[in-house]
Amino acid sequence: DLRRQGIGGEVVVEFIIDERGMVRGPRAINSPHTALSEAAENAVGQSTVFPGMKDGRAVSTRIEVPIEFTPVR
């Protein structure tokens, strides 16, 4: 529905990457629309990434990522 209405924008999602590279607690902290927030949180929550490293060991890391939704016109 949002795509058809031409609604898009940037959603900033904050989350933790744990020591195993799993995304924990994705939460939109800035978004133009709640439906975009949900889509961004779901997409980030399904991701697996490399964990942060400190002194040669994997550590939990807090990250903020901007996700841009561009409607097709």
Side-chain angles (χ1 to χ4, degrees):
D1 285 342
L2 295 179
R3 185 180 300 155
R4 275 188 278 125
Q5 295 173 33
I7 297 173
E10 182 181 85
V11 178
V12 178
V13 180
E14 177 183 67
F15 55 96
I16 301 289
I17 301 171
D18 70 14
E19 297 87 354
R20 295 177 297 148
M22 302 298 295
V23 172
R24 303 289 180 211
R27 178 176 67 96
I29 58 173
N30 187 17
S31 177
H33 197 282
T34 56
L36 295 178
S37 296
E38 291 174 16
E41 290 169 354
N42 288 336
V44 169
Q46 295 176 23
S47 302
T48 302
V49 296
F50 291 105
M53 302 294 286
K54 182 175 182 178
D55 298 326
R57 298 180 65 137
V59 295
S60 290
T61 307
R62 182 178 307 274
I63 303 288
E64 287 184 14
V65 174
I67 299 173
E68 185 71 33
F69 289 89
T70 305
V72 178
R73 296 177 192 237

